[in-house]
Amino acid sequence: MLIDLADAGAGTSGGKAAVLARLLDAGLPVPPGFVVPVAAYEQAAGGLDFADAGAVRDLAGPSPALTGEIARALARVAGDGYVAVRSSGTGEDTATATAAGQHDTFLGVRGPDAVADAVRGCWASLWSERAVAYRRRRADAGPPALAVLVQRLVDAEVAGVMFTGSGTGSAVRLEASWGLGESVVGGRVTPDSWTVSGTTVTRRTLGTKRTRTDRDPTGAVGVVTREVKPADRARLCLTDEEVTRLAELGRRTAGLLGGEQDIEWAVSGSRLWLLQARPATGALPAEADAPAEAAGAGDAAGESDAGESDAAIRTGTPGSPGSAAGPARVVRGPGDFARVRPGDVLVCRTTDPAWTPLFGVVAAVVTETGGLLSHAAIVARELGLPAVLAVTDATEALPDGALVQVDGGTGRVALLGPG
């Protein structure tokens, strides 16, 4: 039943795997892997009524026979090593919907039983609150189905995301941090960023990069998050030569697939790897004319033209264009979700994919960490929701209930009054 990644098609293997198969066929560097096809999910889910939220508890995992197939495929793809287990849905990574971060990913998985458990976890995440809420907001969403992609894990020294234009000479914007890419795509760090025009790096911005995520070095299954050494926080995680090589790889990918692309990648040793490519579903905010200060610095700006005081203005990374005003709602975790009301401005340290249902309620988003290519920023742009990222101490500087104005195009957040 399993499908080699090189043979994946959208109908059997979902959008993510099908695109990677095209890149493999073109000779681009994609980690080897295989797909547990849509048919396996349909077999496991047959007879369950997911209109009942509790039905997902009865969703079976891969059968013993399929787990045996997984064991043989693992030996071929990764030997006794580790893999990444990721969703590849029929309704994600399309030109109109990325479903970025809506389904679960499992990294540092080892052995057939652990992979089988992760496959079931991916299937179940199709019916998580966040995934259901995401589909509900999309009138064009069809009946969901999910394949699962299993690939050899790249033990990345540096990883991140890049956004390519559609032309061969178009600018490429990259974001990166130490370790696996989950730190960047999940918005857990404020990454380093670059812009490449032609073969020249025209912009470099140092992020904060306080933590990194890596495969558990003890040999246990899974990943660990640890502090980044101060010296590594203070330096860019890529050289200009690496950045220009990545940009060229991104342009080749965009040329093959057509149109602007949102690409996840990793660097291990001197090798570059492509982990995902999908059409960009929303344009990035324009860059400022002058080079930015260190990303995530978020210091209060000077007085504005309107005479607003230093304390009334905060600046961060423009994440999703548009402007909106509303009462700040400081959210520190799921326990605060019930306090969020329509028209609020969500203010938080970072956003987990589980927070996506709030995006259908709030008027704008302000975070303390993250980059413009994180899952939260991607979904905000899809929904037309203004977002400003990497505003230092936003949860303290913007009091709960205070009236704030968010400009996602300029990265400016203004405190208008006590509310």
Side-chain angles (χ1 to χ4, degrees), residues 2-375:
L2 299 182
I3 298 172
D4 188 87
L5 178 57
D7 299 322
T12 60
S13 306
K16 186 177 297 164
V19 168
L20 291 177
R22 290 185 62 187
L23 300 182
L24 269 173
D25 186 59
L28 297 182
V30 175
F34 60 89
V35 180
V36 181
V38 170
Y41 163 76
E42 292 176 335
Q43 187 175 79
L48 295 178
D49 179 9
F50 291 106
D52 174 6
V56 72
R57 292 193 296 268
D58 297 323
L59 180 64
S63 67
L66 183 54
T67 302
E69 283 193 62
I70 288 172
R72 293 187 288 275
L74 283 174
R76 173 178 56 82
V77 165
D80 191 36
Y82 295 83
V83 294
V85 183
R86 310 169 70 197
S87 70
S88 182
T90 55
E92 65 181 330
D93 293 344
T94 71
T96 59
T98 63
Q102 302 310 299
H103 305 132
D104 286 345
T105 290
F106 300 88
L107 302 176
V109 185
R110 186 181 188 185
D113 290 338
V115 170
D117 287 344
V119 167
R120 187 201 175 277
C122 288
W123 287 345
S125 71
L126 187 63
W127 298 100
S128 66
E129 182 182 359
R130 66 180 184 271
V132 171
Y134 178 86
R135 291 195 300 270
R136 189 178 295 127
R137 288 194 298 272
R138 300 198 54 82
D140 59 345
L146 197 73
V148 178
L149 172 62
V150 181
Q151 285 180 283
R152 189 175 69 204
L153 181 71
V154 176
D155 277 324
E157 293 145 18
V158 178
V161 185
M162 63 178 144
F163 184 99
T164 72
S166 55
T168 55
S170 58
V172 178
R173 296 168 73 173
L174 299 94
E175 294 186 338
S177 189
W178 304 110
L180 300 174
E182 289 300 288
S183 294
V184 176
V185 298
R188 299 169 192 165
V189 299
T190 299
D192 297 338
S193 62
W194 298 260
T195 300
V196 183
S197 297
T199 58
T200 303
V201 178
T202 57
R203 184 184 180 98
R204 305 169 192 84
T205 305
L206 181 68
T208 50
K209 311 185 300 292
R210 291 190 175 94
T211 62
R212 60 181 291 161
T213 300
D214 298 280
R215 178 176 58 80
D216 191 330
T218 67
V221 170
V223 297
V224 294
T225 299
R226 50 186 171 156
E227 294 290 318
V228 172
K229 297 176 181 178
D232 287 336
R233 297 183 196 179
R235 67 185 179 99
L236 294 167
C237 60
L238 293 171
T239 65
D240 279 6
E241 187 271 338
E242 289 170 320
V243 170
T244 54
R245 285 173 60 205
L246 282 163
E248 178 56 29
L249 183 59
R251 291 191 183 105
R252 288 178 61 194
T253 302
L256 176 68
L257 300 178
E260 298 177 334
Q261 296 293 312
D262 173 0
I263 299 168
E264 295 181 23
W265 51 267
V267 179
S268 179
S270 60
R271 293 200 67 179
L272 310 182
W273 294 96
L274 294 171
L275 305 182
Q276 181 172 328
R278 56 191 172 203
T281 54
L284 299 184
E287 290 185 293
D289 293 334
E293 297 299 322
D299 294 331
E303 290 195 6
S304 72
D305 293 339
E308 293 159 306
S309 67
D310 287 352
I313 304 295
R314 308 296 291 183
T315 57
T317 301
S320 178
S323 179
R329 192 61 58 215
V330 177
V331 174
R332 302 185 187 279
D336 292 329
F337 284 8
R339 299 174 48 246
V340 178
R341 297 289 181 267
D344 283 352
V345 172
L346 173 63
V347 180
C348 54
R349 184 181 181 279
T350 187
T351 59
D352 183 272
W355 296 30
T356 305
L358 298 181
F359 282 34
V361 177
V362 299
V365 177
V366 177
T367 72
E368 292 184 343
T369 66
L372 80 166
L373 299 178
S374 64
H375 286 155

